[in-house]
Amino acid sequence: MNKPQITVVTPAYNAAACLAKLYQCMCSQTYAAWQWVIVDDASTDDTASLVAQWTWQDPRVVMAQMPKNSGSARTPRCKAVEMADADFVVCVDADDMIADDYLQLMWARHLEADADVVYPAMQFVDKVGKQIRTLPEPDFDTNSIYVGRDLVIATMPFWKIGCNGGLYRKSLWQQVVAEAENVQVGVNEDEVDERRLLIAAPRVAFASAHYYYVQHSRQITAGVTPRSFERLDADAHLCQLIEQYFGKKSKEYAAVHRQMLYDWRSGLAEFMTHYASLHEAEPYILQQLASCYAHINPKCLSAKQRRKFFLLPSHRMMLLLFSAKYAPLWMLEKVCQRLFNQPYQWFVLHRREEKRLKKQVVVRYSPADDYKVTRLETIVMCQGFVAHGGLIDRLRGAVSVYMACKKYKKNFKLCFTYPFDLQHYLQPARYDWSIAEEKISYSTKNTEVLLIDTVMDNDWERCYQQTLINQRVKECGRQLHVYTNAACCYDSDFASAFAELFKPSPALQRRIDEVVAQIGGAYVSVSARFLNLIGDFNEENFSVPLPEAQRERLLSDCEKQLVRLRQTYPHHHVLVCSDSITFLQRAQQIEGMFVIPGHVSHIDNDTAHDYQYYEKTFVDFYAIAQAEKVFVLEGGGLLSSGFPYAAARLGGKFPEKLNI
């Protein structure tokens, strides 16, 4: 294939449902000298296989895959630009579309204006194609050729020009990205990159080509989530950029502070309106909002804005005013949380979360009489209908229900089929808990759904869980479906009940024996649950990666604990288990440390994979159970994980804490 003149670059994450439409757009282009580079950002759907099929059929389509999800379109987009064969690139998102003459018009405008950047006519459309609005705005002169830095003011505080789908000189893009490669990437960082490109571009033109920005509910920017507030970080980066290139007395500097005001105000209103679904990330969000508020320069605002928003210098007082307007119940909750924290956790947060989860479950059931239940059974369900938690969350929930069934002589079953069939790893031991899918009823006439979710994991909550499970198991006259991660089994003989239910499959047992033999001799284990603090783990719970310096400090502190543990047990090996591949790699460099090879995963955040993908999780568990002593690293933001706790209990021990 001859060298293309334009390379279209597309980052894609779980985009199989919409990429086919974009592929049709590409194949319909009236301009032929194109290449299309798609970078799959570790998708969990059929994106990779779909694009691989196109690459086989059409040599103009090229695909690469990221080793792990980057959390932002910026990283795979930069990878795609790096792979581009052409000297000019066009950025098209996977869920957007372009007109048939798009590339032809964009290239013709570049040739006419000798432009380094060409922007299209950007049309916002809904999922059925109805036009919502268009950029550039009607009064904007699209015939002129601009110096890029003169257009920066047209992007603040609101966008007056549309920058999606722009055509860029590849050398310019790479120069700008290289200057910003150390920036912490968030969802909105590409908007800051656009200003960087404008500042660096000598000549910018506009074309009549139509770019269709499709707005739908699957977008990461749709709705209000903890990641929605990453735009405040982007505002901070943009403010630094504007100050660096334009100075504090420029109109651009005043405009960026007005933008920060609007984003702070809308962010605070969004948080107050949706606080019930954001409560896990509340400390992070409030810190972001307070930081943004503190950086806004009132001198850059109009007199009306200063009167309206800055009469009160305290962000906390502004928070109270907004809560009075948007969420008075939030203010009441904060009072209750301060005065009655434990009851608040249980009666507010716990009930709210269980209600949300149960809504996700009950939509799977219908009044239809799908299966005649001839034998009453209590079934613990792990089928992917709802977030079940990690491996030990699920297994301890199953053991808790089994104990109640054993007490009241009820039939216990476990349906664990997502994201894998549990029997590939753990098989029934002395009690047969297996059940065929056709024996499970999803009729509301035949079944009762019980959802019990652990929040605090203390003695009081375990007692409540045990009482509720016992009551429903004893009294239910229908097939009882239990969705739970209850931890009340720890208060009884957990190890004995676990051994009655589960034994490793032959393949898993062989691997466990191999690992224990490789460790060789006596060993102790140490576990560390980082969530996503190091930025290398796909974590369901909201966890923001630490800044680079704090990451290094935390890892260094953890390594020191490993060295001390080795000095305390000089004749033992130290088995290191963690959800951070970075920490595991660094631990392997320390003498006497042993790390079980394999894939680090969290089964509640994965779709189905092959056997090897999940094997390490089970091997870690049984290896910890066989250790002479079990230690857990805590402090510094690390989570007190239930994984080593359950493994230690299975081995007849209690874990000991090593505080960072």
Side-chain angles (χ1 to χ4, degrees):
M1 184 180 73
N2 294 329
K3 180 178 178 179
Q5 292 175 315
I6 297 175
T7 296
V8 175
V9 297
T10 300
Y13 175 69
N14 287 352
C18 54
L19 262 179
K21 291 183 179 179
L22 183 53
Y23 181 54
Q24 292 174 1
C25 293
M26 293 300 301
C27 292
S28 301
Q29 290 299 302
T30 56
Y31 180 87
W34 57 262
Q35 176 194 39
W36 190 19
V37 177
I38 304 169
V39 175
D40 174 35
D41 198 12
S43 297
T44 57
D45 66 354
D46 296 328
T47 296
S49 59
L50 180 66
V51 177
Q53 181 181 350
W54 297 338
T55 62
W56 181 264
Q57 298 170 348
D58 191 339
R60 297 175 297 178
V61 182
V62 179
M63 180 182 71
Q65 291 182 280
M66 302 296 290
K68 62 180 180 179
N69 183 259
S70 64
S72 169
R74 183 179 190 261
T75 302
R77 184 181 292 117
C78 293
K79 174 69 173 178
V81 171
E82 180 183 334
M83 295 173 58
D85 291 334
D87 294 329
F88 286 83
V89 295
V90 170
C91 300
V92 180
D93 289 341
D95 51 358
D96 293 341
M97 293 183 291
I98 55 178
D100 293 348
D101 58 356
Y102 187 82
L103 296 181
Q104 180 180 341
L105 293 176
M106 294 290 281
W107 185 248
R109 183 57 170 153
H110 154 69
L111 294 177
E112 176 188 355
D114 189 26
D116 302 281
V117 177
V118 179
Y119 289 130
M122 182 177 170
Q123 295 188 1
F124 293 77
V125 298
D126 61 20
K127 60 183 179 181
V128 297
K130 181 181 178 182
Q131 184 173 322
I132 301 171
R133 67 187 179 107
T134 301
L135 292 175
E137 292 184 343
D139 58 347
F140 188 86
D141 180 10
T142 58
N143 296 317
S144 299
I145 300 171
Y146 298 86
V147 176
R149 63 182 291 124
D150 293 340
L151 288 173
V152 172
I153 191 64
T155 69
M156 303 179 300
F158 306 109
W159 292 85
K160 297 181 177 64
I161 58 176
C163 296
N164 288 55
L167 179 143
Y168 308 91
R169 198 179 296 275
K170 180 181 175 181
S171 57
L172 175 70
W173 177 286
Q174 291 182 310
Q175 171 194 340
V176 169
V177 171
E179 291 176 353
E181 61 182 357
N182 295 323
V183 173
Q184 185 173 344
V185 177
V187 172
N188 298 84
E189 193 62 34
D190 54 353
E191 296 185 6
V192 186
D193 281 338
E194 204 63 57
R195 276 67 168 233
R196 294 187 179 106
L197 284 162
L198 283 173
I199 291 170
R203 295 174 66 85
V204 179
F206 291 82
S208 59
H210 286 175
Y211 182 96
Y212 302 105
Y213 181 81
V214 183
Q215 296 184 314
H216 54 80
S217 59
R218 297 190 307 274
Q219 289 171 314
I220 195 169
T221 52
V224 179
T225 67
R227 300 208 67 185
S228 303
F229 297 86
E230 290 182 10
R231 68 179 184 268
L232 301 176
D233 281 330
D235 282 346
H237 298 159
L238 179 59
C239 187
Q240 294 171 5
L241 183 73
I242 297 301
E243 184 176 342
Q244 176 184 352
Y245 285 97
F246 295 92
K248 292 185 177 181
K249 296 183 179 180
S250 65
K251 59 183 179 181
E252 287 83 4
Y253 185 78
V256 75
H257 279 269
R258 290 197 297 273
Q259 176 172 316
M260 291 175 68
L261 172 65
Y262 292 131
D263 285 346
W264 166 79
R265 185 182 184 281
S266 63
L268 193 51
E270 287 172 355
F271 169 71
M272 287 299 171
T273 306
H274 301 276
Y275 72 93
S277 61
L278 299 171
H279 64 87
E280 285 189 1
E282 183 176 306
Y284 164 76
I285 294 172
L286 290 181
Q287 185 274 329
Q288 289 282 85
L289 289 167
S291 177
C292 179
Y293 185 89
H295 283 88
I296 298 173
N297 187 346
K299 296 180 180 179
C300 296
L301 308 178
S302 66
K304 181 179 178 181
Q305 289 172 329
R306 290 199 297 271
R307 287 195 304 270
K308 191 171 183 180
F309 297 107
F310 290 93
L311 286 174
L312 298 174
S314 167
H315 184 264
R316 181 169 295 184
M317 296 182 72
M318 295 299 294
L319 193 64
L320 292 176
L321 288 178
F322 269 70
S323 66
K325 179 177 180 180
Y326 294 102
L329 286 178
W330 178 84
M331 188 163 25
L332 178 62
E333 281 194 20
K334 294 299 104 180
V335 174
C336 293
Q337 184 178 11
R338 178 68 64 92
L339 299 178
F340 314 103
N341 185 52
Q342 290 293 339
Y344 167 78
Q345 292 281 336
W346 178 257
F347 291 107
V348 178
L349 297 186
H350 186 199
R351 298 297 175 85
R352 179 184 293 153
E353 182 65 9
E354 284 195 343
K355 185 177 180 180
R356 182 186 69 82
L357 293 175
K358 192 164 185 178
K359 281 183 179 179
Q360 292 181 230
V361 170
V362 296
V363 296
R364 304 283 183 162
Y365 294 77
S366 72
D369 200 355
D370 58 350
Y371 165 66
K372 184 70 173 177
V373 176
T374 57
R375 186 182 185 192
L376 295 182
E377 292 165 318
T378 297
I379 309 172
V380 172
M381 306 286 282
C382 298
Q383 293 182 301
F385 293 174
V386 70
H388 299 285
L391 176 65
I392 297 309
D393 293 331
R394 303 182 188 202
L395 295 183
R396 76 186 188 190
V399 173
S400 297
V401 177
Y402 168 70
M403 287 179 171
C405 291
K406 185 177 180 181
K407 178 178 180 180
Y408 295 106
K409 296 181 172 55
K410 300 288 185 178
N411 298 313
F412 168 81
K413 299 294 178 182
L414 172 60
C415 181
F416 191 139
T417 59
Y418 185 86
F420 52 77
D421 186 341
L422 181 64
Q423 294 198 51
H424 293 159
Y425 304 91
L426 299 180
Q427 297 178 347
R430 296 192 294 274
Y431 183 92
D432 184 11
W433 43 262
S434 61
I435 184 171
E437 176 65 28
E438 59 268 19
K439 297 294 184 181
I440 302 175
S441 173
Y442 295 96
S443 168
T444 53
K445 296 178 181 178
N446 302 327
T447 61
E448 176 182 325
V449 174
L450 175 63
L451 193 145
I452 303 177
D453 184 57
T454 297
V455 174
M456 296 178 287
D457 193 13
N458 55 29
D459 293 341
W460 186 87
E461 185 178 45
R462 291 182 185 180
C463 181
Y464 170 82
Q465 291 173 343
Q466 188 69 72
T467 301
L468 183 57
I469 292 173
N470 286 345
Q471 178 189 10
R472 296 319 306 144
V473 167
K474 180 180 179 181
E475 298 177 1
C476 184
R478 295 179 289 173
Q479 195 176 80
L480 179 62
H481 293 187
V482 187
Y483 298 80
T484 185
N485 58 3
C488 48
C489 58
Y490 293 146
D491 296 331
S492 302
D493 193 353
F494 170 76
S496 176
F498 191 97
E500 289 177 15
L501 289 176
F502 307 113
K503 65 179 180 181
S505 68
L508 179 62
Q509 187 62 60
R510 284 194 297 271
R511 181 60 183 146
I512 295 170
D513 294 341
E514 289 174 3
V515 165
V516 173
Q518 289 170 4
I519 297 175
Y523 67 94
V524 298
S525 78
V526 59
S527 301
R529 183 82 158 89
F530 287 86
L531 300 172
N532 197 32
L533 293 175
I534 310 301
D536 59 357
F537 189 63
N538 178 24
E539 179 54 51
E540 173 202 1
N541 295 323
F542 184 71
S543 176
V544 180
L546 294 172
E548 192 64 37
Q550 293 184 32
R551 293 187 205 182
E552 181 59 36
R553 192 179 310 121
L554 178 59
L555 288 169
S556 177
D557 289 342
C558 292
E559 289 173 19
K560 290 176 183 177
Q561 286 291 356
L562 296 183
V563 173
R564 292 192 189 103
L565 192 62
R566 173 65 172 166
Q567 293 170 347
T568 306
Y569 295 91
H571 304 297
H572 290 66
H573 286 93
V574 179
L575 170 65
V576 184
C577 301
S578 178
D579 57 351
S580 168
I581 188 66
T582 305
F583 177 63
L584 293 178
Q585 290 171 347
R586 293 176 60 156
Q588 286 180 296
Q589 307 305 314
I590 302 174
E591 183 181 357
M593 302 296 135
F594 184 87
V595 174
I596 298 172
H599 189 89
V600 177
S601 68
H602 189 293
I603 67 173
D604 218 28
N605 304 326
D606 288 314
T607 54
H609 293 277
D610 60 17
Y611 172 86
Q612 296 295 332
Y613 187 89
Y614 301 106
E615 185 184 62
K616 173 177 166 58
T617 302
F618 290 87
V619 177
D620 279 356
F621 180 72
Y622 276 96
I624 293 173
Q626 296 182 39
E628 288 194 6
K629 282 184 175 292
V630 177
F631 297 92
V632 179
L633 295 178
E634 291 193 355
L638 299 181
L639 180 71
S640 180
S641 174
F643 189 89
Y645 181 85
R649 294 298 302 271
L650 184 62
K653 301 173 284 291
F654 283 90
E656 300 178 29
K657 297 180 181 180
L658 298 177
N659 292 314
I660 302 299

